[in-house]
Amino acid sequence: MKDRVMETDNVLWDNIILGDQEAYRELYDTSADMLFRYGLRYVQDTALIKDCIQDLFLDLYHYRRNLSPKVNIRFYLLRSFRRKIHLAVKKYAIANRLETADYFSITYEPDVEQQRIAAEQQQEMLRILTRELNDLPARQKEVLFLKFNCELSYEEVAGIMKISVPTCRTLAYRAFRQLRSSMEKVPVLPLLILLMSWLSQKNN
């Protein structure tokens, strides 16, 4: 299954390099929501996030002949978008004379269907988890988001964040250890399942 997905991605990327408009439309349709959610972790200015996404796809088109023929598309897009959003946030801060600092937020906003299905106790547990997650350092939260929400390997997460793989693993370990300590009444396995399933939800 994974090989089939990689083969499909390779064909899509080859068409991107060739300038196929339909391929660009497909890539945008399958990636824009993921990039938008990632951008919201850094800044709440939706217009700025959309501008960064648009700039990313414009760059893809203009520099398509310089693109590497074989890439992990999700990794490439997230790494490029992270660079753009960081630069945009920095420029915004300078223009508005604001101080810049590490920032990465995680929110919990269950939709109507989730509210109907999920038990009240679980909803409360998720709210507590959200609070505890946001008490973590920004880099630890980003590692968890990229690892579970974007389904990347530690190697890919490290590449996006420009850190070593051991550092990436250490950040993830420290994050879970802190969550385990903060939510000590929740057994380890249920906490891990809760964390993974929730961070993997598409609306977070």
Side-chain angles (χ1 to χ4, degrees), residues 157-169:
V157 174
I160 289 174
M161 296 180 64
K162 297 182 180 179
I163 57 178
S164 68
V165 175
T167 297
C168 184
R169 291 181 181 276

Side-chain angles (χ1 to χ4, degrees), residues 122-200:
Q122 184 184 29
Q123 295 288 335
E124 180 60 25
M125 193 178 298
L126 287 171
R127 291 188 182 91
I128 295 172
L129 176 60
T130 302
R131 184 188 66 209
E132 298 300 334
L133 279 167
N134 277 307
D135 284 340
L136 297 174
R139 293 205 306 171
Q140 290 182 17
K141 286 185 284 188
E142 186 169 7
V143 166
L144 294 180
F145 182 86
L146 290 171
K147 174 66 179 170
F148 295 112
N149 188 284
C150 299
E151 301 175 0
L152 300 178
S153 67
Y154 281 114
E155 289 75 13
E156 291 167 339
V157 174
I160 289 174
M161 296 180 64
K162 297 182 180 179
I163 57 178
S164 68
V165 175
T167 297
C168 184
R169 291 181 181 276
T170 298
L171 288 170
Y173 169 75
R174 288 176 178 172
F176 186 73
R177 185 177 63 183
Q178 178 60 38
L179 290 173
R180 181 72 189 92
S181 176
S182 302
M183 303 181 70
E184 57 184 13
K185 292 183 179 180
V186 182
V188 175
L189 184 57
L191 176 60
L192 181 59
I193 294 173
L194 181 66
L195 174 64
M196 293 177 65
S197 64
W198 177 67
L199 282 174
S200 299

